[in-house]
Amino acid sequence: MKMSVLLKKSLVLVAALILAISVVSAHADGKPEKVTVIYGGSSWLGHYPAWVGIEKGLFKKYGLGVLFQNFYASSGRMGSLVAGDLDVASTGSISAIALMASGSKGFMAFGTQDSYATVEGIIAKENTKNIQDLKGKRIAAPFASSSHVLVLDILEQNGIDPDKDLDLVNLKVNEMPAAMGSGEIDACAAWTPHFNKLLNMPGNHMLVNDTEFSLYKKYKLGPGPDLLVVRKEFAEKYPNTCQAFVKGYFEAVDMLINQPEECAKVLVKLTNLSMEDQMTVLKDIAWIKGSEQKNLMVQPGGFVTGMQRLAEFLVRHKQIDSAPDVKRWIAGSMVP
Amino acid sequence: MKVDSTAKSLTISIVSLLIFIGAWELVCRLGFIEPLFMPPPSKILYRAMKLIDNGQLFVHTLASTRRVMVGFVVSSVVAIPFGIFLGSSRFFMAVFDPLISLLRPLPSMSWIPLSLLWLGITETQKYSIVFMGSFAPSLLYIIEATKGIDPLLIRAARNLGASKLDVMREVILPGSLPQIIAGLKVMLGIAWTCIISAELVAAREGLGFMIMNGKEYFQTDTVLLGMVMISITVMIIDVVFRKFERRLLPWTR
């Protein structure tokens, strides 16, 4: 009996030693210490590079297997990330800022992969010709999203009080076409692909898009820019794995810039869009290369400053209690 | 003697609650749990004070209470006569049983897409979610309560010349009412569980909205405050319900 316990303990010790040696040697070789990365995504355009990287074998080139986990909303994805179920993710920055404001130090940001100023905006019926016409009307936006922020900002710029001058309702983007069609709402704020669908409905027109957002005018920052995030513990424990992921990821970004049609062929599996619609969405995105990340993320560049202003905007509109110091969440070592 | 034992039970309950809250606060303060996952009670209290100060807590609680009460009262008004009718007629029970069996397991959330198509993004849509979430289970409670009446009593009343209406009024209704009321009390709790589903769409007030919006912004204290408010509101309504029950059914005291 005692022998068997001793044997078990010895085996566990040997296994732990082998694991430790392999991690240390992998670290020294520059090879990924961990060969599977769990990525949190969705069919939103911000996740295209991760999907292309997986489908085109770009991560595999660096010895990585990436497991793509789907989430409906950024908040669920970020919750899973800090709970330790995901290693890397892309998120809408409002969720990331809210999580920073909650005091969570469990994640870091290492890049921003795209900007999409023309695929999100406020769409209204014909009789609403300008922003002032929204007074007294019912306008829908998904609360706690970039579209909600866009509406609050545009109303603020035009001196309209969202609590008194109009009826602002909380509606999911996929429920907007039916509500607009039935006349229950007069205007709505949405993002692609529902944005295009709403825009193409007869009698609808675009009032404003993200280019009218106050921070876009100053910092080229949309109301909820995409942000690449990593679990802090993961980044500290597996630096080579993170570097390999970053390399594969930004090669996918390059591929999206240089071979959009090739990428669209694999993206339709994720988005369920037609090839034609997929190409239209791709044309609206400006991808940000790996070589441009340092200027945006580390300097700190316009992106980090813009994010800080966005956090202050959220505080001003009573969405979060206090603005975090955004630059403290930047993982400088992972920025390519 | 009875007063003494009630006071003793109440004291034990209050002390146990205080110990629980104290332990929770201590565990959080010592850093065993990250505040994001479980904020301390003091933080929840601070959030409550802030929302009381700007009036938001009252607005959210009132909105949800209104939605629950309208949905629940309409559901009860329909379910009580229909349930008694089905419970006292084997034929009609056989006719409606398959439909009730189909409706009973459906969660309130599954009614959202249909209710949106039928009623749009209105308050009626929110009432309908509470109604659909509580109707079928209420109906089953009432049917079972009606079926539970001793058939000997019904036969005896009939032999004494009572009409069908008399039997319903004098035997079935008073006999089943205590169980119906007990069932409705349980159903009121279930109606409150529908509030999250009811306030998922096109709501900007209500405890369900407060919880879901708090979740989006990782404000766990707001989420927990919303949950606590639902429990407190249900407890208050339960006390009112008991008083009403004592007046309506004095023989059950």
Side-chain angles (χ1 to χ4, degrees):
Chain A
M1 189 68 176
K2 273 184 182 172
M3 270 305 281
S4 118
V5 172
L6 194 66
L7 192 68
K8 270 186 194 169
K9 279 186 178 174
S10 307
L11 282 172
V12 169
L13 195 68
V14 169
L17 268 171
I18 291 170
L19 189 70
I21 290 165
S22 62
V23 168
V24 169
S25 65
H27 187 73
D29 293 350
K31 283 182 187 164
E33 305 88 342
K34 191 173 181 279
V35 291
T36 308
V37 174
I38 308 170
Y39 175 88
S42 77
S43 57
W44 168 248
L45 58 88
H47 304 287
Y48 289 1
W51 185 264
V52 167
I54 294 167
E55 290 286 314
K56 291 288 179 186
L58 302 177
F59 293 116
K60 219 175 252 178
K61 228 169 75 178
Y62 297 100
L64 280 188
V66 176
L67 186 66
F68 193 99
Q69 295 276 26
N70 249 313
F71 285 81
Y72 179 75
S74 280
S75 57
R77 200 177 304 123
M78 291 304 284
S80 289
L81 185 89
V82 292
D85 297 329
L86 298 176
D87 303 322
V88 186
S90 171
T91 178
S93 50
I94 293 169
S95 253
I97 291 171
L99 194 51
M100 291 171 189
S102 79
S104 174
K105 300 270 179 4
F107 75 101
M108 303 290 277
F110 66 93
T112 176
Q113 69 276 37
D114 62 83
S115 90
Y116 56 92
T118 56
V119 292
E120 183 173 23
I122 303 174
I123 293 158
K125 292 192 180 267
E126 271 170 332
N127 59 350
T128 307
K129 305 235 183 298
N130 54 47
I131 300 297
Q132 289 300 329
D133 287 347
L134 284 172
K135 279 184 182 172
K137 298 215 166 95
R138 183 180 260 193
I139 174 166
F143 281 19
S145 75
S146 53
S147 290
H148 186 206
V149 167
L150 178 67
V151 170
L152 293 175
D153 178 73
I154 297 293
L155 294 179
E156 188 181 51
Q157 285 186 53
N158 288 274
I160 300 173
D161 187 334
D163 295 320
K164 290 176 189 161
D165 299 333
L166 47 77
D167 185 15
L168 182 61
V169 294
N170 179 20
L171 203 63
K172 288 192 180 112
V173 172
N174 57 352
E175 281 150 7
M176 287 175 183
M180 276 293 261
S182 65
E184 289 179 277
I185 50 174
D186 305 292
C188 60
W191 54 79
T192 192
H194 295 281
F195 174 75
N196 310 57
K197 194 177 172 182
L198 284 155
L199 210 49
N200 292 331
M201 282 169 72
N204 287 356
H205 72 113
M206 193 175 73
L207 272 184
V208 287
N209 64 16
D210 287 355
T211 55
E212 292 300 314
F213 182 56
S214 55
L215 295 180
Y216 189 84
K217 291 174 188 168
K218 277 187 197 165
Y219 304 101
K220 292 278 170 218
L221 188 89
D226 286 325
L227 189 68
L228 289 164
V229 288
V230 61
R231 185 157 51 84
K232 195 180 176 191
E233 192 194 350
F234 182 84
E236 285 168 355
K237 212 168 168 185
Y238 308 115
N240 293 347
T241 306
C242 291
Q243 286 305 323
F245 180 87
V246 168
K247 279 180 192 164
Y249 187 89
F250 282 100
E251 273 192 28
V253 168
D254 291 340
M255 196 171 187
L256 278 155
I257 296 167
N258 302 320
Q259 297 160 266
E261 261 187 66
E262 197 63 30
C263 294
K265 282 179 198 164
V266 295
L267 284 170
V268 290
K269 282 195 267 178
L270 172 73
T271 58
N272 286 323
L273 294 174
S274 66
M275 240 338 241
E276 194 190 352
D277 288 345
Q278 188 63 71
M279 285 305 291
T280 311
V281 173
L282 279 174
K283 273 176 201 157
D284 286 322
I285 312 164
W287 296 107
I288 304 169
K289 291 179 179 183
S291 55
E292 297 166 28
Q293 296 295 323
K294 266 207 162 66
N295 281 335
L296 290 168
M297 301 295 296
V298 180
Q299 295 294 338
F303 185 79
V304 177
T305 314
M307 284 264 289
Q308 190 62 48
R309 297 290 98 81
L310 184 58
E312 287 153 12
F313 176 91
L314 292 173
V315 175
R316 200 166 66 246
H317 285 269
K318 298 186 176 73
Q319 306 296 309
I320 55 174
D321 296 328
S322 57
D325 185 3
V326 173
K327 64 177 182 295
R328 291 180 64 190
W329 271 266
I330 304 298
S333 63
M334 271 186 77
V335 180
Chain B
M1 192 68 177
K2 199 185 171 190
V3 173
D4 277 357
S5 71
T6 310
K8 200 177 165 187
S9 299
L10 192 69
T11 311
I12 292 170
S13 298
I14 290 169
V15 170
S16 80
L17 185 68
L18 289 175
I19 290 173
F20 172 73
I21 292 172
W24 176 3
E25 181 77 31
L26 196 68
V27 164
C28 294
R29 292 262 169 138
L30 292 174
F32 290 117
I33 307 173
E34 201 182 321
L36 175 69
F37 297 110
M38 183 62 96
S42 56
K43 211 173 164 216
I44 300 168
L45 190 68
Y46 178 70
R47 175 71 65 186
M49 298 312 283
K50 259 179 103 172
L51 291 177
I52 288 169
D53 201 36
N54 63 20
Q56 283 297 301
L57 196 61
F58 179 70
V59 170
H60 290 311
T61 309
L62 194 70
S64 290
T65 308
R66 188 189 67 236
R67 284 167 188 150
V68 170
M69 291 318 287
V70 171
F72 175 70
V73 168
V74 175
S75 154
S76 306
V77 165
V78 179
I80 291 172
F82 192 43
I84 293 173
F85 172 66
L86 292 184
S88 45
S89 164
R90 279 191 186 177
F91 174 75
F92 283 105
M93 187 60 214
V95 171
F96 284 99
D97 193 38
L99 187 64
I100 298 167
S101 302
L102 281 173
L103 290 176
R104 192 171 60 94
L106 296 177
S108 56
M109 212 171 263
S110 67
W111 289 101
I112 293 178
L114 278 181
S115 66
L116 276 174
L117 283 172
W118 294 341
L119 303 162
I121 51 171
T122 56
E123 276 298 294
T124 316
Q125 183 262 343
K126 290 164 192 65
Y127 300 148
S128 77
I129 295 285
V130 178
F131 175 86
M132 291 315 295
S134 56
F135 178 69
S138 300
L139 193 64
L140 281 174
Y141 262 111
I142 294 157
I143 291 169
E144 287 309 312
T146 313
K147 275 185 179 172
I149 300 291
D150 190 345
L152 272 175
L153 290 175
I154 298 172
R155 237 178 284 157
R158 283 208 180 134
N159 286 342
L160 290 168
S163 66
K164 276 190 177 178
L165 195 67
D166 290 335
V167 170
M168 180 65 75
R169 207 176 49 216
E170 302 295 335
V171 182
I172 297 177
L173 211 54
S176 59
L177 216 48
Q179 256 192 291
I180 290 176
I181 300 278
L184 289 182
K185 273 200 285 187
V186 176
M187 288 323 302
L188 185 60
I190 292 181
W192 268 98
T193 65
C194 303
I195 205 66
I196 301 277
S197 324
E199 291 170 356
L200 267 181
V201 183
R204 58 179 304 178
E205 60 201 21
L207 294 171
F209 166 75
M210 187 176 129
I211 290 171
M212 298 314 285
N213 203 51
K215 181 206 111 192
E216 290 300 318
Y217 284 113
F218 301 99
Q219 290 166 345
T220 324
D221 48 356
T222 307
V223 173
L224 280 162
L225 176 63
M227 290 163 69
V228 169
M229 285 310 295
I230 289 179
S231 298
I232 291 173
T233 316
V234 172
M235 278 159 63
I236 292 169
I237 293 174
D238 203 45
V239 169
V240 176
F241 217 125
R242 267 187 220 170
K243 289 207 166 174
F244 168 73
E245 186 186 2
R246 279 183 194 168
R247 283 203 166 191
L248 191 72
L249 311 168
W251 65 90
T252 59
R253 267 184 233 175

